[in-house]
Amino acid sequence: MAAPINVVVTGAAGQIAYSLLYQLAAGSVFGPDQPINLRLLDIEPMMGVLKGVVMELEDLALPLLKDVLPTADPEPAFKDAAAVFLVGSMPRREGMERKDLLAANVKIFKIQGEALDKFARKDVKVLVVGNPANTNALICSHYAPSIPKENFTAMTRLDQNRAQAAIAARLGVAIDKVKNVIIWGNHSSTQYPDAAQATVEVNGTSKPVPEVVKDDKWLNEVFVETIQKRGAAVIAARKMSSAMSAAKAAGDHMRDWWFGTKPGQYVSMGVVSDGSYGIPKDIVFSLPVTIQNKQYKIVQGLNISSFARSKLDITAKELEEERAEANTVLQQ
């Protein structure tokens, strides 16, 4: 049995964490042979709730879970961390401008970035789930200069899962028959869910999704808008944001980062742009990646149509604006 690794979850008393923690403790993310120590970080007023979460983790009686530390202090939380789920963030409230949301989150992710820089392992894998996830990841990385910037990612796997499920439903096939749907850009309503590169297995043969759907209007309009607005639709119905599906996506993202992608398949992750596909450098942009040995590589050479290019430009512009607003806050 391997030595335990320290896994951090922030916002640990919240809804997403509640669904995520069981996956982690049961071995669904890091595998059935990897013991873990959970480090649960939240704000002081949530410590009472977190105490109840810890009781439940104890009552699960899962053999892989070796130790649980609930805390409001970033230092013990991030000490020797191997993997980090930054779930906690300031949620957008009614009437709140984006710059106000960014200002609140800059403070949170500055503190967490500094703590990661001081206390975490230098090969730590950091996944930002809390919104605005892409720019929060950029801020966090900025304040952890001793950790490679490629070790900071933002979650767009939920959007990828949604897109894959929507295409499978449209075609009446099992979800695992649809592969290589891409989410480009920001985890926001400007993201571009792209089925042009996707394939679907029909009667044992892999075919391009557009060829099987045979409806460009649906793919370019209904499908795109449905995925872009899916989070808002869940909130409207549930009166709370996505939690179970977000937690599942966070687990999917980290598991693939840990174990790698299957041959011929890629996944979408918010990563620091290197200029691929004409995307501005140094914004965290969702791109298709393959993963081996815990290192991801941006998939190169995909054909970008003029329609797709227009969508990529819109979401890149939003991320540049977010970065500028965050930098303004940082300089205050």
Side-chain angles (χ1 to χ4, degrees), residues 59 167 186 194 207 254 289:
D59 296 348
I167 290 168
N186 200 2
D194 178 10
K207 297 182 177 181
M254 188 64 79
V289 301

Side-chain angles (χ1 to χ4, degrees), residues 206-282:
S206 180
K207 297 182 177 181
V209 162
E211 188 181 298
V212 181
V213 171
K214 294 190 179 71
D215 188 341
D216 287 348
K217 185 175 173 62
W218 183 83
L219 284 171
N220 291 338
E221 295 177 17
V222 177
F223 167 69
V224 170
E225 288 179 22
T226 299
I227 306 309
Q228 287 176 335
K229 296 176 180 176
R230 184 68 164 187
V234 171
I235 291 171
R238 194 173 171 259
K239 312 308 177 198
M240 288 187 285
S241 59
S242 307
M244 179 169 46
S245 56
K248 160 67 165 50
D252 290 347
H253 177 120
M254 188 64 79
R255 183 176 58 253
D256 284 343
W257 200 358
W258 209 258
F259 291 107
T261 48
K262 294 173 184 172
Q265 291 187 35
Y266 36 83
V267 293
S268 298
M269 292 169 62
V271 302
V272 177
S273 169
D274 63 357
S276 293
Y277 298 102
I279 303 306
K281 287 186 178 182
D282 299 323

Side-chain angles (χ1 to χ4, degrees), residues 37-88:
N37 300 320
L38 279 176
R39 303 292 178 246
L40 309 181
L41 182 66
D42 214 314
I43 56 176
E44 200 64 56
M46 298 305 292
M47 287 300 108
V49 175
L50 200 52
K51 186 177 180 182
V53 173
V54 173
M55 288 183 208
E56 285 209 73
L57 284 166
E58 291 168 351
D59 296 348
L60 288 171
L62 289 166
L64 289 174
L65 184 56
K66 299 303 180 185
D67 182 61
V68 182
L69 174 70
T71 182
D73 183 351
E75 178 175 346
F78 290 116
K79 185 165 176 55
D80 299 324
V84 176
F85 296 82
L86 298 181
V87 180

